[in-house]
Amino acid sequence: MSGKVTHVFTQFATDISRLTGRPLAFVTCLVLVVLWAVSGPLFGFSDTWQLVINTSTTIVTFLMVFLIQNTQNRDNNALHAKLDELIRVSKAHNSFIGIENLPDKELEEILTELDETSTRVRKEAGTPSRRRSQPKAKPAARRPARKRA
């Protein structure tokens, strides 16, 4: 795909993701569904009336999957780049840079080794161990995101 097309799609996906993630988008969709439901008696709850909502929601969902995936991929890649840079400039093991690209088996081996190390360190410190398979505590409330110019 050419650079211009990729750039246009990236900008489009970013803009749509921002718009659809806002309360107004939800309220708009809710109003449309309510209008559709209220119009049921007017159209006699016909097959065509049902087909309108089914087709509309299917098409919108199908397209949104690709836009959301694109946005998540870019966010994830940016996060990995930032973490890799922090690892690179710190005293952390540089071997962790780029591990997200390893095969699942190798990544699982690293995670198992880290779990074992974590358990050992916690035992030495007298802190109870937490295993990955146990449910984790709910994260603290996030601060609202800063608005971008």
Side-chain angles (χ1 to χ4, degrees):
M1 204 181 293
S2 75
K4 183 165 177 70
V5 171
T6 300
H7 176 73
V8 168
F9 178 76
T10 298
Q11 190 60 51
F12 175 76
T14 301
D15 292 344
I16 294 298
S17 292
R18 274 198 198 112
L19 288 173
T20 57
R22 298 209 171 144
L24 181 60
F26 175 79
V27 170
T28 301
C29 289
L30 183 64
V31 167
L32 289 172
V33 170
V34 168
L35 288 174
W36 169 81
V38 170
S39 71
L42 180 66
F43 293 101
F45 299 101
S46 68
D47 289 344
T48 304
W49 173 79
Q50 292 178 31
L51 189 61
V52 166
I53 196 71
N54 290 338
T55 304
S56 301
T57 55
T58 300
I59 290 170
V60 168
T61 301
F62 178 74
L63 296 174
M64 286 302 295
V65 165
F66 294 102
L67 294 176
I68 291 168
Q69 188 63 52
N70 175 270
T71 302
Q72 286 183 335
N73 287 345
R74 283 184 292 106
D75 288 347
N76 197 33
N77 289 339
L79 181 62
H80 282 290
K82 291 172 185 179
L83 289 172
D84 287 349
E85 179 62 9
L86 287 173
I87 291 168
R88 190 185 68 77
V89 300
S90 71
K91 293 182 180 180
H93 295 281
N94 285 344
S95 62
F96 285 112
I97 294 175
I99 65 170
E100 68 276 6
N101 298 316
L102 292 175
D104 288 342
K105 184 174 171 123
E106 289 181 42
L107 185 57
E108 189 59 37
E109 288 170 0
I110 291 171
L111 292 173
T112 300
E113 183 181 324
L114 289 172
D115 274 351
E116 290 168 359
T117 301
S118 172
T119 301
R120 183 178 41 77
V121 168
R122 287 175 188 270
K123 281 182 182 177
E124 290 171 3
T127 307
S129 175
R130 266 186 32 192
R131 307 296 288 168
R132 273 189 294 141
S133 59
Q134 294 176 338
K136 295 185 178 169
K138 290 183 180 179
R142 294 180 68 192
R143 294 185 316 198
R146 289 184 285 152
K147 292 184 180 179
R148 295 183 182 178

